[in-house]
Amino acid sequence: MNYTGKYPSSRPRRLRQSDWVRRLTREHRLSVDDLIWALVVHDGAEDEITVSAMPGTARLSVRAAANAAKRAQKLGIPAIAVFPHVNSAKKDASGREALNDKGLVCEAVRAMKDSAPDVGIMVDVALDPFTDHGHDGLLKDDRIANDDTVKVLVEQAIIQTRAGADIVAPSDMMDGRVGAIRAGLDGSGFQDTLIMSYAAKYASAFYGPYREAIGSGKLGSGAVANPGDKRTYQMDFANTDEALREVAMDVAEGADMLLVKPGLPYLDIVARVKQSFGLPTYAFQVSGEYAMIKAASGNGWIDEDRAVIESLTAFKRAGADGIVTYFAPKAAELLGV
Ligand code: PBG
């Protein structure tokens, strides 16, 4: 129970009257140690290709990604999460390119590890950057084939780990994939590779700009049973208990770290997951959240720097141990001042 006094002997404003006492009584603190930098790479030669829906970010060439990793190391950012924009000529229905050990993700991981060995590299385990239909799984008779997809995800995770990835992060929401990936990694001698499970991932409108960033806009074209959306595998945004069941299964299957996604509209989920399981728990401030802050600040409607720090601190308040965010380098710079 919180102590509450009575006015006028108690005056809560006393604790807010100046910066020193506000600092002294602050409950939650954002630090550079909380940041995972979400970064998109592409397989072309151009160092930076702007993403119109995400001003201030760019798709980076492998070389530019290596430099970004160096920058992360200098800024003290602990880890980078890499997402690939694959040339559409390499995409097909089976997402075969996901298993290319000389493909974009593996090349980027190798280059980043070479240039900044002290920065943790996290990779997405999912097929959507590689499938021409844009779904995270394989389609069979116009349905997402769960168990066939899991087999491919295991291979993908092993290949990415062999390239040097430190954390594999399945974002596909297939059932049973965490356990299968854990067994696959262990069987290949990768007992120390971490799994950050996108344990509670919702079917969300806030992923919109990401589709432009990785060029997977074709979702739902063709004869897909659930055109235009991922609601047969990502969760219904009206649900909370379901998130806890998803997390419980992933924990039982061997997840080391948990991720809730999207971020700010789902702080209640972050809080419940952290309270219920006590595992290292992260939130993903997704592309749409980034775009909203950039759009409003670009119009002069909100102060960007303050909105970035406030929104990231909100995740800490909810119980998150860290945040995956496109704002990581900016936040690190702001925190360093
Ligand atoms: C898909 C994936 C998505 C994101 C990360 N991995 C999009 C989706 O599920 O449709 C979204 C990231 C963002 O919006 O910033 N495997």
Side-chain angles (χ1 to χ4, degrees):
M1 234 326 240
N2 275 329
Y3 168 78
T4 44
K6 247 184 158 174
Y7 174 84
S9 57
S10 281
R11 290 178 181 267
R13 287 186 54 209
R14 276 191 207 115
L15 294 172
R16 301 178 206 136
Q17 62 184 300
S18 54
D19 185 58
W20 67 264
V21 70
R22 287 193 296 269
R23 281 192 286 131
L24 206 55
T25 56
R26 190 156 290 148
E27 296 175 39
H28 298 282
R29 233 168 273 275
L30 178 70
S31 104
V32 68
D33 294 338
D34 301 318
L35 303 173
I36 299 175
W37 181 359
L39 183 151
V40 178
V41 294
H42 74 98
D43 46 12
E46 242 175 296
D47 268 347
E48 293 195 5
I49 300 175
T50 50
V51 179
S52 65
M54 299 179 70
T57 73
R59 288 179 208 135
L60 304 180
S61 66
V62 169
R63 198 180 55 177
N67 288 333
K70 237 182 231 148
R71 185 175 169 215
Q73 193 161 283
K74 271 203 198 96
L75 287 167
I77 296 171
I80 293 178
V82 200
F83 301 92
H85 176 287
V86 175
N87 190 317
S88 58
K90 293 184 181 151
K91 299 188 185 189
D92 61 16
S94 70
R96 210 163 19 136
E97 179 64 15
L99 302 184
N100 180 359
D101 61 8
K102 293 190 179 59
L104 173 59
V105 174
C106 292
E107 294 295 346
V109 169
R110 277 191 280 266
M112 287 191 283
K113 278 312 250 191
D114 272 355
S115 78
D118 297 338
V119 175
I121 301 295
M122 169 163 140
V123 290
D124 217 45
V125 182
L127 298 182
D128 59 316
F130 310 99
T131 52
D132 54 9
H133 46 70
H135 277 292
D136 293 39
L138 302 172
L139 292 170
K140 211 176 190 178
D141 303 327
D142 281 352
R143 289 180 171 274
I144 302 290
N146 190 95
D147 297 6
D148 293 345
T149 301
V150 169
K151 285 191 193 114
V152 183
L153 297 176
V154 171
E155 291 308 309
Q156 183 185 22
I158 292 170
I159 286 163
Q160 291 167 330
T161 301
R162 213 169 268 142
D166 302 292
I167 307 177
V168 295
S171 71
D172 54 287
M173 290 298 281
M174 297 301 121
D175 295 331
R177 88 281 204 219
V178 171
I181 290 171
R182 184 73 271 159
L185 290 173
D186 289 356
S188 307
F190 295 124
Q191 289 86 352
D192 290 334
T193 302
L194 293 154
I195 299 180
M196 183 187 291
S197 163
Y198 283 69
K201 175 168 177 178
Y202 288 85
S204 173
F206 293 100
Y207 307 146
Y210 178 82
R211 306 244 203 274
E212 182 204 337
I214 71 153
S216 74
K218 277 206 289 178
L219 186 73
S221 59
V224 180
N226 12 279
D229 69 58
K230 300 187 175 185
R231 282 179 295 179
T232 70
Y233 43 109
Q234 299 177 351
M235 287 194 315
D236 185 334
F237 55 72
N239 296 349
T240 308
D241 290 340
E242 186 186 14
L244 298 187
R245 294 196 297 272
E246 278 282 359
V247 171
M249 289 180 75
D250 287 3
V251 171
E253 289 173 32
D256 301 289
M257 306 155 108
L258 304 167
L259 186 63
V260 174
K261 181 180 177 188
L264 221 49
Y266 295 83
L267 289 185
D268 57 325
I269 310 297
V270 174
R272 256 189 106 183
V273 166
K274 182 64 188 180
Q275 280 161 16
S276 305
F277 296 92
L279 253 66
T281 302
Y282 301 81
F284 198 141
Q285 183 178 51
V286 298
S287 57
E289 299 173 65
Y290 175 91
M292 286 196 297
I293 292 176
K294 289 302 275 189
S297 67
N299 277 296
W301 296 335
I302 60 170
D303 180 315
E304 179 174 324
D305 292 357
R306 288 175 54 203
V308 168
I309 297 299
E310 183 179 332
S311 60
L312 293 174
T313 305
F315 292 111
K316 294 291 291 178
R317 202 185 59 234
D321 294 286
I323 308 104
V324 183
T325 175
Y326 301 93
F327 282 123
K330 179 185 188 108
E333 277 163 5
L334 289 171
L335 291 166
V337 180

